Amino acid sequence: MNTPLAHIDKQKIVVLKYRQLLQACKPFLTPSGQKQLRKAFIATLNIHGDHLYQTSESYFCHSVDVAIIVAKEMGLGLSSVIAAMLHNISHDDNKFAELVSELKLPEVAVICSNLNRLNQLPTEKLTDNAENFSSLLLSLADDVRSVLIQLADRLHHMRKIESLPDAKKREIALQTSDLYAPLAHKLGLYRVKGELDELSLHYNNPIAYQTISANIAKAISDSSDFIIEFLDPIKAELSRMGLDFVIKNRTKSVSSVFTKMKKQQVDFEEVFDLFAIRIILNSSISDEKADCWKAYSVVTNLYKPEPKRLRDWITIPRPNGYESLHVTVLGPGKRWVEVQIRTLRMDEEAESGNAAHWRYKGQKGSVETDEWLNSIRKILENPEESEEALSSGTKPVAAENTIYVFTPEGDLKKLRAGSTVLDFAFEVHTNLGAKCSGGRVNKKIVPIRHLLKNGDQVEIITSRNQNPNIDWLGWVTTSRAKTKIKRYLKEAEFKQAEAGKDIFRRKIAQLKITKEDEAINKLVAFFKLSGPLDLFQKLAESKIEPSAIKDIVIGTTKAEDEKIESKPKPPVKAEPLKTNRTSENVIIVNENSEIEGYKLARCCNPVMGDEIFGFITVSDGIKIHRISCPNASRMRTRFPYRSMDAQWSKPVEGTYFISTVKISGFDQLGILSSITNLISNELKMDVRTISLDSKNGKFDGLIKVSIRDTKHLDLLMKRLLSIKGIIKATRQSSSN
């Protein structure tokens, strides 16, 4: 229970925070806006109450302070300030929805929704994925104000973590230096970036921070007279030459000095650009280069230059458009000083144009992203601009062409927009891709063709029986996945060819054929193949029957042909369907026909309604094949005298055919019951057998049923696909 004194103290804090908030928002606050701000302030106080962070700071004070940073240090408007105050309130809370509705600021809900989404991203491995994570934040932010508020939130947390355990401070500081400081730099928030860097180093490496800070303080103390002594002759000579100029000087920050020492492996004393002088000339476009070189000659005439450290980006600007002359000279007391010489135009271009500071420091980004971020920087630099400009800008093309997806462990993978689960699997590992049978996206099972979205968390489901096929090439977008699939298919072709070669050699050994090359040539010519490799593959795939080798290479005996052709023909007993053919040459299938002794071929399992023909075999009578049978073309071309026309008789009540349907999909509870209920109860079909093989959430199965005709079969397959979980249903040509 609060004491009266504590209550009074709390009141004072609330009043103080409100006054600070009003002062920060003064440049843009209208009377109606002040009412909205007050309402949001009171709601924040009531909802958060006395809740405290681990740092002992209240939720309420933190929320208001973040809003003050957003207004005062980032120059954003009322919607952003209110969203910043509400960013710690649960969006599922009815009070939040009521408040947003009362405020009549719908964009606040959008910003807070964005913030909620960004805060839910897994950050366990953020340090290992900092660059991609930064890009993900920007691409997920439909409204960039959510990212700016997140930066303000991080800045305020960094200012308040002193009381946390050392290990926790180092963890937060490392995350800040890896992600949030570079992100602030990208958005042109240089002061925010600088403070985040300083605080990160202070907590992550306190000894280095204190040592460098002390050295810089001493150097500044020792250098006040030195700077004046160094600049006075330069100012006098530039004025004498009639140049219009201003001179700025700055001391490197602690974090910048530390970064340079670490990168170049040098001591503090060897950081030559601890003090940098920038000479900015007000010159016309036509005189820019000449004036810069005049200023250069002034500096180098007065002080000895270090030729190895001359950087001429005026004669040949850097690829990003940056223009400036950098020279390091030995000043009074043999102290090195870096001097940068540029014009006013060049300076403005370097700070906020195409050569913005965050780019020439080595950050990577596409032209479209650069333009987008640059437009954001310009809006931030001009508070009078309408705040709506921050949310109405078009997303960069680069962001639209890229997505970032998490692994279950929290690693971040960068993919092309339009990538599927299969793309992701190959991005993680080739073997994972080759055995991919599906995935769990955000813990929900999906097929391998499922399109991924920004921020998805993906787990790959594999099957040891799974292998890439040609269809996969149409299901992937990334070049890596396509290359790996093509390579696998090529290797599989050669393995298959080896298997077909073994089949071929066993057959010719059985037939005692010694001229192997001659036999291959005959087969290749007969089937019009591209070569031996094509022949062996078709043998392995059963697209060419091994029995054809004997017929084509050796030829059948006349005796066998005569034996087949001499079979007696029984009298006609069945009434065929209407046809232009004469019954003398047509087999009427399904009733007695002119030629009895036929069988339905097992290689294609014809059923009532299929287009069919008869083929006289050497030892097994007449076989009825579908016209679309894989073996039909060879048989009818090579042995036309054995082929016979065939057609179905009029359907007879009670006539059924056995057909096998192959199904596959993702396992669902009760799927077997759904299948049997559909076939037996709804379609009234006779089920012979059902077998399902389920592994890792996916299943393959075979259903053998009695059907009347092809229409009956098509109906069955269509209805099977309506069952949840079944993604494919096809007729199986051959039965086992």
Side-chain angles (χ1 to χ4, degrees), residues 398-444:
E400 293 176 353
N401 291 338
T402 305
I403 61 171
Y404 298 87
V405 182
F406 290 95
T407 67
E409 294 75 29
D411 286 316
L412 201 57
K413 298 295 180 182
K414 180 179 178 181
L415 296 169
R416 286 181 58 185
S419 291
T420 61
V421 168
L422 195 54
D423 282 299
F424 175 81
F426 277 105
E427 183 66 27
V428 175
H429 197 282
T430 301
N431 292 340
L432 194 67
K435 295 299 178 183
C436 176
S437 60
R440 287 187 181 88
V441 175
N442 304 325
K443 299 182 180 179
K444 181 181 178 182

Side-chain angles (χ1 to χ4, degrees), residues 620-647:
D620 204 21
I622 300 171
K623 291 288 187 72
I624 304 301
H625 293 262
R626 286 157 50 192
I627 295 293
S628 59
C629 175
N631 297 314
S633 178
R634 175 182 63 82
M635 292 186 293
R636 302 183 82 184
T637 302
R638 182 71 180 90
F639 309 106
Y641 53 88
R642 292 189 187 186
S643 299
M644 303 185 68
D645 288 342
Q647 67 180 49

Side-chain angles (χ1 to χ4, degrees), residues 62 66 149-159 171-177 180 196 199:
H62 168 74
V66 170
I149 293 170
Q150 197 169 45
L151 280 171
D153 179 75
R154 175 52 58 120
L155 177 60
H156 189 258
H157 272 310
M158 288 297 293
R159 291 171 177 173
E171 178 189 334
I172 295 172
L174 184 62
Q175 191 181 80
T176 300
S177 63
Y180 292 99
L196 290 175
L199 290 168

Side-chain angles (χ1 to χ4, degrees), residues 35-48 82-83 85-87 89-91 93-106 108-109 112:
K35 290 180 182 178
Q36 291 171 310
L37 187 68
R38 181 180 178 84
K39 185 174 290 186
F41 181 89
I42 294 172
T44 302
L45 176 63
N46 291 336
I47 292 172
H48 286 315
I82 292 177
M85 268 199 294
L86 304 181
H87 78 280
I89 299 173
S90 171
H91 295 185
D93 194 324
N94 290 332
K95 294 178 182 177
F96 176 82
E98 291 172 7
L99 177 61
V100 170
S101 178
E102 288 176 17
L103 291 172
K104 297 179 181 179
L105 291 171
V108 169
C112 289

